[in-house]
Amino acid sequence: MIKVELSRLNDAFHMEARNEQGSIIHLDASPDIGGQNLGMRPMQLLLAAFGGCSVIDIINILKKQRQDLQDVKVTVTGERQKDVVPSLYTEVHAHFKLFGNLDQSKVEKAVTLSVDKYCSVAKTLEATAKVTYSFEIING
């Protein structure tokens, strides 16, 4: 069982989420409803989780393929339903920038395997959203 505890840090919406290992993430709400932008909003965290989950997979796959991955960055964007509560994601896109002397076909395989097969967050998002991805290699 996975356990995360949240604690409220002020009299508004600023919270701290702490996992069993002691790692911390700050959350807050939009200023529109009284938040102060002191942390990520929950739906932003979902996009960050997708990006992080995929990058972990991609790094592992490229290591097994003996690829010289020097760095990786990902930008994740999402579109949510309009004028609906709850407002779920309908489209999510991840764009990966991979740095190093990398084989195009091996990178494509790693990204595809991650998003389409291994990333649990991507699979969760697929329940309501069209999940797409792209990548580029920047030789380093």
Side-chain angles (χ1 to χ4, degrees):
M1 176 181 293
I2 297 170
K3 181 172 120 180
V4 175
E5 293 184 346
L6 283 86
S7 302
R8 190 174 177 200
L9 300 177
N10 65 12
D11 63 352
F13 300 101
H14 185 205
M15 294 172 278
E16 172 183 283
R18 181 183 302 262
N19 67 9
E20 295 172 282
Q21 295 75 34
S23 298
I24 296 171
I25 292 177
H26 286 259
L27 295 91
D28 203 352
S30 163
D32 297 347
I33 64 166
Q36 299 169 316
N37 284 328
L38 297 172
M40 290 184 125
R41 296 181 195 138
M43 292 299 280
Q44 292 171 332
L45 282 172
L46 191 54
L47 295 182
F50 169 41
C53 178
S54 293
V55 167
I56 288 168
D57 291 338
I58 290 166
I59 291 169
N60 278 331
I61 294 166
L62 291 176
K63 276 185 181 180
K64 289 176 184 171
Q65 294 175 338
R66 293 188 175 92
Q67 290 296 292
D68 180 30
L69 178 64
Q70 295 167 7
D71 198 5
V72 59
K73 297 181 188 298
V74 60
T75 301
V76 184
T77 56
E79 286 291 328
R80 294 173 66 184
Q81 296 169 316
K82 304 279 188 234
D83 303 318
V84 177
V85 176
S87 176
L88 305 178
Y89 282 112
T90 57
E91 294 182 28
V92 175
H93 182 79
H95 180 73
F96 301 91
K97 288 184 182 180
L98 298 104
F99 299 81
N101 185 16
L102 302 164
D103 179 286
Q104 174 90 12
S105 64
K106 290 184 178 184
V107 169
E108 183 173 1
K109 181 177 182 180
V111 172
T112 300
L113 281 172
S114 173
V115 178
D116 291 347
K117 185 174 182 179
Y118 296 128
C119 177
S120 301
V121 181
K123 291 304 190 191
T124 300
L125 286 166
E126 282 179 358
T128 63
K130 178 181 177 186
V131 177
T132 59
Y133 54 90
S134 58
F135 70 91
E136 63 183 297
I137 298 171
I138 300 167
N139 289 319

